[in-house]
Amino acid sequence: MAQLPPGIRFITSFSRDQWYRAFIFSLTFLLYASFHLSRKPISIVKGELHKHCAASHEVELDSYKEYAAQIQPLKKPFNTSQCGWEPFDKSNYKQLLGALDYSFLCAYAVGMYLSGLIGERLPIRYYLTGGMLASGLFTAMFGLGYFYNVHNLWFYIMAQIANGLVQTTGWPSVVTCIGNWFGKGRRGLIMGIWNSHTSVGNILGSLIAAYWVSTCWGLSFVVPGVIVAVMGIVCFLFLIEHPKDVSCSCTPSSSSKTFLNGTSRYRIQMPTLNAKENGKLQQDPEMQHLLTDSENCSVSLNSSTVVSGEGRHGTSAISFLGALRIPGVVEFSLCLLFAKLVSYTFLFWLPLYITSVEHLDAKRAGDLSTLFDVGGIFGGILAGLISDRLEKRASTCGMMLLLAAPTLYMFSTVSKMGLEATVVMLLISGALVNGPYALITTAVSADLGTHKSLKGNARALSTVTAIIDGTGSVGAALGPLLAGLISPSGWNNVFYMLMVADACALLLLLRLIQKELQCDADHTLFKEH
């Protein structure tokens, strides 16, 4: 009998369940990467919407505008100001560009609270598909302003508001789906890798937008819009919401682990342990949910609440207030508010900052800004790996936040010394800023969304995720707005604002960090006795 080819041996070495999980992991990764791909162009195009020009050219501008008005019906629409694209060619351009960011992020923050509640009551595949198709439309709509020579500020603001609202369909949907398919074992590492879709999307969005920004910035929006819409069709054709829909096991097997998130501990039993050692029969490790340990940090397996995992469609959706009562949701939500404030300020203003400091054109600044997201990929994976190893989510976030504040100060100083120093600091800052953000929005959200008090209600994960990310999105809206208001007084003041935000995020986690350390000490003492 002939030996099987290496490729076939590789394929058959994985089970049917493993192939399905790998497929869902990859598909949800690409789906949400496309969302972020469509958010990035606005930060790249800012340098083209407003160009620095000398005041001595005012007379030339008037004659140029008259000439443009005369030939406009005969030629394709083009920029009618040498200082940028009207109305962003005025001296208050930073406030106007900040208004675009604020419009999108405010709509996103408000919509996120509603999105989780709506998403629980609709099939994920339909809900996510509709959101992606609408997002593609409104992303492209912004770019159409270039081709139709639109210079009305409200046109661009309304496009941003509409896009912000429909993009809220993405995060609760993909996190719920990935939470259905993957269990708690090594959740930090798995979701740290998976959450790199944010940075991958930002990098691809930067490169695509930068390719056309100097020649036809409208395509910097139209092309990402088309990509998001196409991915929406892919979502409709291939997304599987739950493993039970294709007769797969609910969760993969995993080794014994005990995880802490500052308020809860859950213990997964090793398959090799016998019933006598544990006082009960072996149980499916992934059917055991988070255990509340507010009264006692050392919870034995005998006190575990075990749920069957059935009734996915029979359980009622959790209320908004019910989700807020889950221990840890409020603290992590407020921490994410400040962490996301820092991250999104970089997302929307970093290319313009690089243009101002390094005196690069919009394309080169956009390309260079992708290094921040490259650092973010490693930061998210590192945060997940450390939190799994230490079994402490809050402490991991706190450690990275503590390092992020002085790093931001160094970045503001070192970036003025040359391009090489800027490259290094972009990578380090990206890792420390995006690490806590990635960990809270993925592993922590999934931990809290499968809390013991939910009694196996998998549909509640969407609401918990939406509350945490929605609160974070309030900070995401405030960050770029404050940057637009503060930057005229100097970029150093913007960095001071970001350092204060990091300090606030750390302060909000101190109670959870203290509880994790106390639980660890109690657990050690319990073992000694």
Side-chain angles (χ1 to χ4, degrees), residues 43-51 79 81 83-85 88 146 212-217 352 362-363:
S43 66
I44 305 299
V45 175
K46 281 178 180 176
E48 189 69 20
L49 293 178
H50 180 87
K51 298 178 179 179
N79 207 345
S81 171
C83 293
W85 186 267
F88 307 104
Y146 172 85
W212 282 289
V213 65
S214 299
T215 55
C216 180
W217 65 258
L352 191 63
K363 183 181 185 307

Side-chain angles (χ1 to χ4, degrees), residues 258 265 267 298-299 391 519-529:
T258 302
R265 177 191 294 267
R267 190 185 304 275
S298 299
V299 182
E391 302 172 354
C519 286
D520 196 47
D522 292 349
H523 183 63
T524 302
L525 185 63
F526 177 79
K527 288 175 63 178
E528 290 176 352
H529 286 77

Side-chain angles (χ1 to χ4, degrees), residues 376-397:
I377 293 176
F378 292 105
I381 295 173
L382 184 63
L385 186 62
I386 293 174
S387 70
D388 282 347
R389 183 65 59 87
L390 298 180
E391 302 172 354
K392 296 176 177 64
R393 307 288 197 213
S395 298
T396 303
C397 292

Side-chain angles (χ1 to χ4, degrees), residues 19 91 116 180 249 288 301 321 353 401 488 521 525:
W19 278 113
S91 59
N180 290 339
S249 61
Q288 301 179 37
L301 195 59
L321 292 178
Y353 171 76
L401 289 169
L525 185 63

Side-chain angles (χ1 to χ4, degrees), residues 54-320:
S56 59
H57 290 162
E58 291 181 357
V59 177
E60 296 179 24
L61 286 177
D62 292 336
S63 61
Y64 182 83
K65 290 178 181 179
E66 293 177 5
Y67 172 70
Q70 292 174 3
I71 66 170
Q72 189 272 337
L74 301 177
K75 301 185 70 174
K76 72 172 187 177
F78 57 85
N79 207 345
T80 59
S81 171
Q82 292 181 344
C83 293
W85 186 267
E86 293 182 15
F88 307 104
D89 57 343
K90 308 297 189 299
S91 59
N92 64 337
Y93 72 96
K94 287 185 178 180
Q95 287 79 5
L96 297 180
L97 294 174
L100 293 182
D101 299 337
Y102 191 66
S103 300
F104 174 89
L105 294 168
C106 267
Y108 187 86
V110 173
M112 184 59 75
Y113 289 109
L114 301 175
S115 181
L117 297 173
I118 297 172
E120 282 187 11
R121 293 158 173 82
L122 295 175
I124 288 178
R125 182 165 63 93
Y126 297 146
Y127 187 55
L128 185 55
T129 298
M132 296 189 77
L133 291 174
S135 179
L137 171 65
F138 292 121
T139 300
M141 176 179 163
F142 194 103
L144 292 177
Y146 172 85
F147 297 102
Y148 289 95
N149 207 22
V150 178
H151 298 283
N152 189 313
L153 177 65
W154 283 103
F155 171 84
Y156 298 103
I157 287 180
M158 292 308 297
Q160 288 288 83
I161 291 175
N163 199 15
L165 288 173
V166 298
Q167 287 222 357
T168 60
T169 60
W171 189 242
S173 299
V174 294
V175 171
T176 299
C177 187
I178 204 75
N180 290 339
W181 278 90
F182 290 88
K184 301 179 182 69
R186 293 184 298 173
R187 172 174 279 170
L189 176 61
I190 291 173
M191 286 199 159
I193 297 172
W194 178 74
N195 192 64
S196 63
H197 53 51
T198 298
S199 297
V200 170
N202 289 341
I203 292 170
L204 292 176
S206 297
L207 296 177
I208 292 173
Y211 184 81
W212 282 289
V213 65
S214 299
T215 55
C216 180
W217 65 258
L219 289 176
S220 297
F221 291 92
V222 172
V223 173
V226 172
I227 292 174
V228 175
V230 169
M231 291 305 299
I233 297 173
V234 172
C235 172
F236 178 79
L237 294 176
F238 296 105
L239 185 66
I240 305 169
E241 176 181 346
H242 199 280
K244 289 184 178 180
D245 296 338
V246 287
S247 302
C248 286
S249 61
C250 287
T251 48
S253 60
S254 58
S255 59
S256 176
K257 285 285 182 182
T258 302
F259 290 90
L260 293 171
N261 67 4
T263 58
S264 304
R265 177 191 294 267
Y266 61 82
R267 190 185 304 275
I268 298 177
Q269 185 174 335
M270 282 285 287
T272 56
L273 296 179
N274 56 49
K276 183 178 180 180
E277 291 171 334
N278 292 282
K280 62 191 300 182
L281 295 176
Q282 292 187 20
Q283 301 168 358
D284 183 350
E286 296 302 335
M287 292 297 101
Q288 301 179 37
H289 288 258
L290 296 173
L291 302 178
T292 303
D293 60 351
S294 57
E295 299 298 330
N296 185 0
C297 294
S298 299
V299 182
S300 67
L301 195 59
N302 291 334
S303 63
S304 300
T305 298
V306 182
V307 295
S308 66
E310 297 177 357
R312 177 168 66 95
H313 300 289
T315 54
S316 60
I318 191 173
S319 67
F320 184 85

Side-chain angles (χ1 to χ4, degrees), residues 413-460:
T413 304
V414 173
S415 60
K416 299 173 184 177
M417 298 180 180
L419 194 59
E420 294 78 10
T422 301
V423 169
V424 174
M425 293 309 302
L426 279 172
L427 292 170
I428 298 174
S429 299
L432 294 176
V433 167
N434 285 336
Y437 164 36
L439 186 62
I440 294 173
T441 53
T442 53
V444 170
S445 295
D447 287 351
L448 297 174
T450 51
H451 192 269
K452 167 192 170 183
S453 62
L454 299 176
K455 299 178 181 179
N457 183 1
R459 298 172 65 189

